[in-house]
Structures are given as C-alpha cells and as structure tokens.
Amino acid sequence: MVSFSFAPSASDSDEDSSVTVFVLEEHSDIYTVQISLNHETPSDSTLRGPLKVFPPDNENYELDACSVLCLQTHPPVLAVATSSGTLQHMALLQDSGNDEEECLYILESVELELPGTLDEEASSTESCSVDEGAAVRLLPDPTVRDRYFVRHSTGVHSVFLPAVQRLEHFVTAEDGDLDLECECVVEHMLCVQPRGAGDPTCLFGCVVIQDTLLAACLLVFISNAEFISLPLRSVHREVIPLLSGSSKTAADDQCRSPLKQVHSQLFSKKIQGMLSRNVSNPMLRCGTSSNMSQKALLELLMKSTGVFREEYIAKQGKARAELLHHMSLLQEQHSQHKTDIKDLEASISQLASEGNKLKWQI
C-alpha cells in the first residue's frame, strides 16, 4: 500500500457507522476496505478489489503510482497521481454488467510539467533530502469540493474538475444526457525550483487554512524555513445579475432582440470564454544563495512574458475588439429604435387627427 483516502459518507444517519477506504497499490490497483466502527476488532473490515477500470488499457496501470485522493462528491471521483507527474481522474459508478459491483471509469489523464524533471543537467547532489515516496501528494480543498492540490518537491498545482458538477447533476436528474467533454483546469500556483536555479530550494509541506477574517489560504513551508501564504481564489466566475430581473414572459420571447436571435450564446459567456486562461505563471521562490546564469534568467523572463502576452494581453485585445463591435451594433440598433419611435409618434398623431375628424362627422 502506498496511499489511501476515505470515501464520502453514503448516509447521514448515526446508525450506519461504517466507512469506506480506497487503498492504492504501487502498480495503480485500487482496493476498497469497508470498516465498521461499531467493533474494535480488525476482522470486521472487508477488503474488495482490485476495482475494474474502464476503458481497459495497459496505460491505466502505471508502475509509479504514489497518491490517491477521493473527492467528497456523489458519485465519488478519485484522483491518482504518479511520481512522474501524471494525474488520472476516475468516477466510481455501478458496473453495467453487474449492478452489485462498482468499477472505475476514467474521465481524463493529465500530465503536469514539473520543473525539477525538466532540468537534466541538475546533479543528484543538488536535490533535497526529501522522502522519494512523498514526491507527489494530493491534498483536498475543504473550501471547494471539486478542486484539490498537487504538492511536490518543486511546487504546488491546483486542479479544478468541472466534470464533477455535471456528474452530480446527471445522477440527481430524472432524465438528460451526460456530457463530460470538459477538461480540468490546472493552475501552477508556486514554483520553488525554477529551471537553472543553483540553490535546491524544496517544498516540505502545505496545509489549507480557513479563516473567516483573512479568508482561505494555502500555507506552504519550504526548505529555507520560510512560510508562504497563497490566497485561494475561486475558480467559479460570478455572473452579474440583470437589473431588470430574470423573469421571462411570452411577450419577452416575441420581442427578442435581433442580436439575441443571431447569437444564441449569452454575450457575457462569450467574453468569459475569450478571457479564460489555459496557462498561468506561478509564484517563483528561490533560495537566498541562488546563482542563476544569465541564460537561465533570460529564458525564465521570456517564458513568463510570453505567457502574459498570450494569456492576458492578446486575449484582452480580442475581448476589447469584440466589445467595440458589440457596442457599434447596439448603437446602430439604438438609432434605429429612435427612428422607429419617431415614426410611431407621427402615426399616433395622424391617427388622433383622423379620429377627431370622424368624431365631428358623426
């Protein structure tokens, strides 16, 4: 056994005093252990497995699995990490061939870019004395159920799974289709070993701190006896509500804007999609005696500025052009509405005069 994680409670009642534990073996086999809390004897635990993995593939069984984490969702979603930085996300569902058995369905596989594995010129003497089995560890996020953290000796990544919300909605809904074509969102939060750094600064541990006044943060402890506080930003973008309310009537559907008839997607959603980032720059932290070469500093600067240029400035420029185009269309529509209002007022005055004439004739 290399790692284990507790499954979410299947029942909220006090009578059901049993827990399920997922146990990970080094060759990626996952077992379940049902432990009863009513008795103290170890014979009350039941070991099952290994769980079947679908779709069956030899690549699903890595030989360097080192950590497993079960997200507290329904159905449970498991994340398995390898020492090389590969993540696998799997959902625990009923077997289609046997309703009494459960199996794992792979949602996606993600390969992290670990800075420590990229520098091939680093010697073994420059590496920190960290337990090799704890090279990659998964840490749950108590503030968000569908996000977790990946801790390794070179930094921290955060992983957000949009598929969790879709799975929960599909399980609770009476009908509907399951669409899991959504990739996870990976953010590189902290890097303590930039490429080319001479001082082997390492990460020793991290923990999530929840405070009502200071908000939630990730507290990281590195090898030079320094603590780093990383604020936990929400991965969900808030939608600004309309001032007119959200209630719709049949008259509203008949008087839809021509722009809404052409563009079925909400304009705010379109702008959010254009501004969404695929790559992020982490916080960099090196040792005080780090002697990076000029070439390494230039590469680090070029890579960071390239990410800012592509993921921030370029996308903001596209969003600005789209906003200006949308504003021009709205201005044309506004001028057309003013012309229509003037024509209607002229028609109203003409109809009123015609009505007065008919009144005198009667």
Side-chain angles (χ1 to χ4, degrees):
M1 182 188 74
V2 295
S3 178
F4 67 92
S5 180
F6 289 93
S9 177
S11 177
D12 297 334
S13 61
D14 297 336
E15 298 179 356
D16 186 11
S17 57
S18 62
V19 294
T20 302
V21 182
F22 293 99
V23 179
L24 175 68
E25 294 290 339
E26 187 176 4
H27 47 274
S28 298
D29 278 341
I30 298 178
Y31 297 82
T32 60
V33 180
Q34 192 77 19
I35 302 176
S36 177
L37 302 181
N38 292 327
H39 305 281
E40 297 180 356
T41 56
S43 60
D44 294 324
S45 60
T46 304
L47 177 65
R48 297 179 181 178
L51 297 176
K52 297 180 181 179
V53 180
F54 293 98
D57 194 347
N58 292 331
E59 297 181 356
N60 299 335
Y61 298 94
E62 300 287 345
L63 298 179
D64 57 347
C66 58
S67 182
V68 62
L69 175 65
C70 179
L71 302 181
Q72 302 301 304
T73 59
H74 297 281
V77 175
L78 275 72
V80 177
T82 64
S83 58
S84 59
T86 302
L87 304 176
Q88 279 190 340
H89 301 142
M90 298 174 284
L92 183 67
L93 300 174
Q94 296 292 333
D95 191 353
S96 58
N98 187 359
D99 295 338
E100 297 181 357
E101 294 185 0
E102 295 178 327
C103 58
L104 296 173
Y105 290 86
I106 295 181
L107 303 177
E108 59 182 343
S109 296
V110 182
E111 185 175 354
L112 300 180
E113 183 180 352
L114 302 183
T117 60
L118 296 178
D119 197 357
E120 298 178 356
E121 297 179 358
S123 61
S124 59
T125 59
E126 294 178 347
S127 60
C128 296
S129 58
V130 182
D131 184 10
E132 185 178 357
V136 179
R137 280 291 179 262
L138 304 182
L139 179 68
D141 186 357
T143 62
V144 183
R145 293 192 306 165
D146 43 10
R147 181 174 63 181
Y148 66 94
F149 303 103
V150 184
R151 175 184 68 84
H152 44 86
S153 60
T154 60
V156 180
H157 287 75
S158 69
V159 183
F160 168 65
L161 300 178
V164 171
Q165 186 176 2
R166 299 188 180 185
L167 273 172
E168 291 182 337
H169 178 72
F170 175 76
V171 172
T172 56
E174 296 181 355
D175 54 356
D177 298 331
L178 179 59
D179 183 16
L180 295 178
E181 295 297 329
C182 52
E183 298 180 352
C184 65
V185 180
V186 180
E187 181 182 0
H188 197 176
M189 301 180 63
L190 176 66
C191 177
V192 296
Q193 287 187 11
R195 199 174 176 184
D199 189 9
T201 307
C202 292
L203 187 148
F204 282 167
C206 61
V207 64
V208 178
I209 297 179
Q210 294 179 276
D211 191 277
T212 55
L213 297 178
L214 303 177
C217 66
L218 185 68
L219 190 62
V220 182
F221 180 64
I222 58 179
S223 58
N224 58 358
E226 181 183 357
F227 287 95
I228 303 173
S229 178
L230 303 175
L232 298 182
R233 296 181 296 270
S234 175
V235 292
H236 305 279
R237 297 183 181 271
E238 296 183 359
V239 179
I240 300 176
L242 298 177
L243 296 178
S244 58
S246 59
S247 59
K248 295 182 179 180
T249 59
D252 296 334
D253 295 335
Q254 295 178 359
C255 302
R256 291 184 63 191
S257 170
L259 292 177
K260 293 183 179 179
Q261 295 178 3
V262 175
H263 305 286
S264 58
Q265 185 183 13
L266 291 176
F267 183 71
S268 59
K269 294 290 185 181
K270 184 177 181 180
I271 295 298
Q272 288 179 5
M274 296 177 66
L275 293 176
S276 62
R277 299 187 298 270
N278 300 323
V279 182
S280 61
N281 273 330
M283 177 188 293
L284 299 179
R285 188 61 59 93
C286 302
T288 56
S289 61
S290 177
N291 296 321
M292 296 183 66
S293 63
Q294 297 295 326
K295 180 180 178 181
L297 288 174
L298 180 61
E299 291 179 356
L300 183 61
L301 178 62
M302 295 297 293
K303 183 177 180 180
S304 300
T305 53
V307 170
F308 283 123
R309 186 181 298 109
E310 296 175 1
E311 298 295 328
Y312 290 84
I313 300 176
K315 292 185 177 181
Q316 289 178 4
K318 293 181 180 179
R320 181 178 181 272
E322 185 66 25
L323 285 171
L324 293 175
H325 178 66
H326 193 72
M327 286 176 58
S328 64
L329 293 179
L330 291 177
Q331 289 175 354
E332 293 178 1
Q333 190 177 8
H334 179 64
S335 61
Q336 182 64 36
H337 286 170
K338 293 175 65 176
T339 304
D340 294 340
I341 289 174
K342 290 181 180 180
D343 294 341
L344 288 174
E345 290 176 350
S347 300
I348 290 172
S349 60
Q350 183 179 0
L351 289 174
S353 61
E354 292 293 337
N356 290 331
K357 291 179 181 180
L358 290 176
K359 186 185 299 182
W360 286 108
Q361 291 179 1
I362 296 175

